[in-house]
Amino acid sequence: MLVVGAGCAGMRAAIAAHDAGADVAIVSKLHPTRSHSGAAEGGINAALGNAADDDPETHAFDTVKGSDYLGDQDSIEIFTREAPGDIYELEHWGAFFSRRDDGRLAQRPFGAAGSPRTVYAADITGHVLIQVLYEQVVKRDIEVYEEYFAWQLVENEDRCQGVICWDLLNGGLKVLGGKTVVLATGGMGRIYRATTNAYACTGDGMAMALRMGLPLKDMEFMQFHPTTLYPSGILLTEGCRGEGAYLVNKDGERFMQRYAPNAMELASRDVVSRSETTEIEEGRGINGSVLLDMRHLGAERIIERLPGSRELAMTFAGVDPIHDPVPVRPGAHYHMGGVETDSDGATELTGLYAAGEVACVSVHGANRLGGNSLMETITFGRRAGTAAAEWALSHTTVEVPQAVERDAERELRRLLDRRQGERPWKIRDELGASMLENFGVFRYEDKMARQIEILDELRDRYPSVLVEDKGDVFNTDLTQALELGYMLDLATCMLQAGIARRESRGAHSRPNDYPTRDDENFLKHSITRWADDGPELSYKEVRMTKWEPTERKY
Ligand SMILES: Cc1cc2nc3c(=O)[nH]c(=O)nc-3n(C[C@H](O)[C@H](O)[C@H](O)COP(=O)(O)OP(=O)(O)OC[C@H]3O[C@@H](n4cnc5c(N)ncnc54)[C@H](O)[C@@H]3O)c2cc1C
């Protein structure tokens, strides 16, 4: 079987599949330890109860409430119940999490959490996890096709039977067969110009699934993180606010007092991002940003708990948070939607599974809580890997028809043989800038309509993009052109779902026309499929177990 993606979700899935007895290989366009999971900073949530009373049920309730009641509660309950065991397993594998004086794992407060439950390794948690998981992959001798760009999924006899890849190092298409395939290709923050996401986060897996006719769920929900460095968009972890940092406006006022008097800076991300944007739009910002003030934490605590954040602020904003407040603003950070799966990662297509940020299981609903995503990659990566292995072990054949290979070759040739056309970066830049302008923290009917027109125009231009590099070795010109195609499809899905959701819920905020949540009409997931001439929208019920929607107050 194959796992596409070598971030936390992909590696955890491959380890689980191997341990279940499957012959598994990983395909990744990056070396595994360069996957974007390695950039995660603040921590990973599990109700261990080390810092205060806590239990999986409280974690589940916080997650449901944080999701603005759009999360599927059965998946959330599985998630919070299994998270503590997964953390201990990572710890036994060698993850050196920060500890309390009594030797137990330390846990810090994160936004909208009823208890301090974020386990962390200073502020380099993702880096630690990715190294530990890679060690486990190497220990098991799991084959990694690294620097293989997965381009298309192979469907044969109504099931997924492999992946068509471009070999980045040597050039040429490579067809890999697999009885099952787990997509773990991460998020798509690069659809926006201001983002915390790496260049590789272009939504490839979501788009590949979409093109196979599979449903994507809740595409309109893009989370904006409140503290990204101005102007680069690099993330400063929520852990800064978890450790006690303040947000202040140009007058030095802790403005969260007016928006979330109880939770203050630790209200959920959608609330804090909207508050910051309002401050900036109403003239109380500084150069399009507000300030994150850590000075009162003191040098010792900043150096011990937030060394990475300090370094980022000094390198990319020229500010040492020990002495000065840091300019920050909201940036596109995490996409709550993705390939629809059940709680074992299974998609609608037999043999195809998905886990991590590419998937929508759906734990995060309309708004993800900080620390829940890393945990999701581990818990649902493990579950998807196990389920995919079980299916692969009980079925015998794999066949990739030659016609599929030939079609892919022809399509690629057409692109590479083109001698004239527009360079992809230009369309990519326009896409990123316009998405930020028209489909950002706040959404307005006229701007969304305008963005749909822009996307139509960009999509019309895309078929004539010119790949200038015709070579075989590290042809990133080619892969970036393919990624652009993915992003244009996904942006179109986001806009269509966004304009149709006539309410404000979680990260989808329409302050002018539909400022409140409308459970009567929109307590439902959006489902997007690609039809002949564009996305087709339908809706699906949210799975509830025990929590009825109530108003969110912070
Ligand atoms: C800066 C930052 C900080 C964060 N901090 C936290 C935090 O503290 N806590 C938390 O819970 N969450 C955090 N998050 C969110 C969390 O880190 C991510 O959602 C999560 O790590 C995603 O993991 P993943 O395995 O799904 O994807 P990734 O780690 O992005 O891995 C994707 C993999 O897929 C591969 N891939 C992609 N496309 C292709 C293709 N076409 N062909 C082959 N391979 C492909 C890539 O090479 C990569 O190996 C943070 C996010 C960011 C951006």
Side-chain angles (χ1 to χ4, degrees), residues 3-12 26-45 108 110 118-119 123-126 130 145 147-152 163-166 168 183-187 195-198 200-205 208 223 225 233-239 269 312 332-335 355-359 364 368-378 483 486:
V3 176
V4 186
C8 283
M11 288 203 280
R12 188 63 193 86
I26 300 175
V27 179
S28 177
K29 66 181 178 182
L30 304 172
H31 182 276
T33 58
R34 297 192 65 207
S35 300
H36 200 55
S37 291
E41 300 173 11
I44 175 165
N45 291 345
R108 60 168 44 130
F110 249 42
T118 304
V119 176
D123 55 2
I124 53 162
T125 312
I130 211 98
Y145 293 91
E147 285 155 348
Y148 264 48
F149 181 93
W151 177 34
Q152 294 177 358
V163 187
I164 298 178
C165 305
W166 171 261
L168 279 158
L183 284 176
T185 49
T195 176
T196 61
N197 285 202
C201 299
T202 47
D204 307 5
M208 282 189 266
Q223 175 171 85
H225 194 292
I234 291 170
L235 180 85
L236 286 194
T237 173
E238 189 161 307
R269 289 177 177 177
L312 289 173
H333 181 58
Y334 182 88
H335 185 245
E357 196 168 336
V358 66
H364 313 299
R368 169 179 79 92
L369 296 191
N372 268 357
S373 171
L374 280 181
M375 197 67 253
E376 180 198 11
T377 65
I378 301 298
E483 289 168 350
Y486 294 146

Side-chain angles (χ1 to χ4, degrees), residues 258-270:
R258 284 184 275 113
Y259 300 95
N262 297 319
M264 297 287 286
E265 284 84 358
L266 287 179
S268 66
R269 289 177 177 177
D270 54 340

